[in-house]
Amino acid sequence: MTIQQDLALEQTDLDIGIVALTDCAPLVMAKHLGFFEQWGLQVNLHIQHSWATVRDRLHTGLLDAAQMLAPMPLASTLGLNGAKCDVINAFNLSMNGNGITLSTALFEQIKQLNNGQEPVLPLDSSWIKQIVQNKRDNGQAKLRFAAVYPYSCHLFQLRDWLSIAEIDVDNDIEIIIIPPTEMTAALENDEIDGFCVGTPWNTKAVRAGIGATVITSCDIWQEAPEKVLAVTSQWQQQHPNTFIALLAAVQQTCEWLNSTANRFEAAAVLQTYLGEPLDVIAPSLIGSCLTTQNGTPRNIPAYNRFISKDANLPKLSQGRVLLDKMATAHQLPHDFTQAQKQQLLKDVYRPDLYKSMLDMKKKMTQLGDIQYS
């Protein structure tokens, strides 16, 4: 018997959308290592320019599945910032992975406030508070930061970090949206003073000498889901077995990515997809956060985490946190009730499908249909 016969796959050729980020590694390596093929799938990966493009192409069926930011299935199902579409999350692709990078000019201002010395990292946002106050007192333009999408952990982490210093993020600063691959150019061209983005774009800014990565998402939140493997609810209902096979192949890849040696291989493969050199892609994969061009890297073991105990299991509790962050950012309807929130979480988060995949994966491994390389 083959996987296709055992599972009765409804569809074998899949188009999956990804964005040029280090944490697309589970999908890239599932294809590179042949894990998709082991599960009877022929997958075409399509690099998308922005998260809005990912959303639109998934909603309209041009993509069968997609790497998405963790809050995006909630936003899609609510119809925020686009047409309403029921999107589900049955798999966390990655945890953590983001960093806040400041322009070298802004970092120099902080050093001047600190008697010419580099401040202790991770950076206390009270340094930003002083600069915000100075700009307001002197009638200067507000600091401008960028995040990658309105409904993103990047935006929420940036807001949380600044709010610790009692910065009024709705009035004291400006936050704009820029696709990940355009962040470093915007920083270099002085269009923004800093950004929150996923690797490797922080590393690229540091390598180029145009930015300093002052704090990571690991420092702001503890073990937060970052990217998920999303499909529309309709697609999953029409292709239940194919979806289980897809989840199993990616779970297998996340297990493979637990090895540091394997991550070096992943970094080499990702060069083709990200268009960046190894010294930009590899650091975060091996737990190294480059801070300044000549500075000592910070050791962040969980900078890019793809697997740990229950890391890939989508939990309703994770969704509750994201909904709370969306509410704080004024993104939810004012009349959104607790009952509506609970129903939304049940509709979007599908731990039942994840557990079904684990059962099927265990069965196929025992039968010898799946071989680990």
Side-chain angles (χ1 to χ4, degrees):
M1 297 286 284
T2 65
I3 288 289
Q4 187 168 345
Q5 290 170 324
D6 287 340
L7 279 177
L9 300 182
E10 304 86 4
Q11 180 179 339
T12 56
D13 291 347
L14 300 181
D15 291 302
I16 299 179
I18 61 174
V19 172
L21 293 155
T22 310
D23 52 20
C24 72
L27 295 168
V28 167
M29 296 311 295
K31 180 176 177 64
H32 179 76
L33 296 167
F35 291 162
F36 284 136
E37 290 184 3
Q38 283 192 32
W39 285 92
L41 302 173
Q42 296 295 321
V43 169
N44 297 307
L45 296 178
H46 302 274
I47 298 177
Q48 306 299 300
H49 172 69
S50 69
W51 292 113
T53 305
V54 171
R55 174 200 65 209
D56 293 344
R57 291 176 68 84
L58 184 71
H59 287 193
T60 56
L62 294 174
L63 294 172
D64 299 300
Q67 173 196 22
M68 270 192 162
L69 300 164
M72 288 180 71
L74 294 167
S76 287
T77 303
L78 285 171
L80 302 178
N81 199 35
K84 185 181 184 305
C85 181
D86 293 336
V87 175
I88 65 170
N89 167 25
F91 194 95
N92 292 330
L93 282 171
S94 64
M95 313 284 279
N96 314 319
N98 301 331
I100 295 176
T101 297
L102 307 181
S103 68
T104 51
L106 179 54
F107 194 63
E108 283 298 320
Q109 290 180 53
I110 293 171
K111 287 170 61 177
Q112 290 172 19
L113 292 173
N114 195 38
N115 299 314
Q117 301 298 311
E118 288 196 4
V120 174
L121 300 181
L123 187 71
D124 190 318
S125 56
S126 60
W127 294 107
I128 303 295
K129 173 76 168 180
Q130 293 183 56
I131 293 172
V132 166
Q133 289 176 331
N134 289 341
K135 284 182 171 291
R136 184 171 58 233
D137 293 344
N138 294 313
Q140 296 175 333
K142 299 176 184 178
L143 289 177
R144 175 183 281 185
F145 293 92
V148 301
Y149 190 70
Y151 308 97
S152 66
C153 293
H154 310 72
L155 177 68
F156 305 146
Q157 288 159 2
L158 181 60
R159 290 176 62 95
D160 279 3
W161 178 60
L162 295 171
S163 295
I164 291 171
E166 298 184 348
I167 296 170
D168 183 346
V169 292
D170 296 314
N171 296 295
D172 289 344
I173 63 163
E174 183 181 0
I175 300 178
I176 64 174
I177 302 301
I178 298 177
T181 54
E182 296 181 14
M183 286 291 191
T184 53
L187 196 68
E188 187 172 20
N189 294 332
D190 296 324
E191 297 170 19
I192 54 176
D193 299 293
F195 56 63
C196 186
V197 75
T199 59
W201 307 111
N202 308 91
T203 310
K204 180 175 181 177
V206 173
R207 290 283 193 207
I210 61 174
T213 299
V214 297
I215 193 167
T216 72
S217 53
C218 295
D219 301 308
I220 303 170
W221 294 0
Q222 292 295 313
E223 293 300 289
E226 174 54 34
K227 304 300 189 305
V228 302
L229 180 58
V231 298
T232 65
S233 177
Q234 181 183 34
W235 189 90
Q236 184 276 324
Q237 291 170 22
Q238 293 173 347
H239 309 87
N241 295 336
T242 298
F243 188 51
I244 291 295
L246 175 60
L247 296 181
V250 179
Q251 176 73 42
Q252 191 173 341
T253 314
C254 287
E255 293 167 4
W256 182 88
L257 283 164
N258 198 39
S259 160
T260 300
N262 288 347
R263 286 180 176 223
F264 273 110
E265 180 179 342
V269 173
L270 284 169
Q271 292 179 94
T272 301
Y273 290 83
L274 307 188
E276 297 296 332
L278 195 62
D279 67 350
V280 167
I281 297 170
S284 68
L285 284 171
I286 58 173
S288 179
C289 173
L290 303 193
T291 54
T292 59
Q293 194 172 40
N294 299 311
T296 301
R298 294 180 61 214
N299 181 37
I300 311 286
Y303 201 167
N304 284 126
R305 191 188 291 285
F306 300 106
I307 195 163
S308 64
K309 179 176 169 48
D310 290 338
N312 306 114
L313 172 67
K315 302 175 183 177
L316 271 67
S317 59
Q318 296 166 346
R320 291 190 193 99
V321 171
L322 293 177
L323 285 178
D324 288 344
K325 299 300 180 183
M326 292 169 74
T328 301
H330 320 295
Q331 294 177 340
L332 295 182
H334 295 299
D335 57 351
F336 202 52
T337 66
Q338 282 300 122
Q340 288 174 313
K341 287 182 182 180
Q342 285 302 110
Q343 188 58 55
L344 174 65
L345 291 171
K346 289 180 180 179
D347 290 342
V348 171
Y349 283 77
R350 298 296 305 273
D352 57 315
L353 296 176
Y354 177 81
K355 291 172 182 176
S356 294
M357 174 274 293
L358 289 183
D359 291 341
M360 179 58 69
K361 183 169 170 289
K362 181 179 179 181
K363 173 187 173 183
M364 293 301 183
T365 303
Q366 289 173 341
L367 289 174
D369 287 345
I370 295 300
Q371 302 292 329
Y372 284 84
S373 58

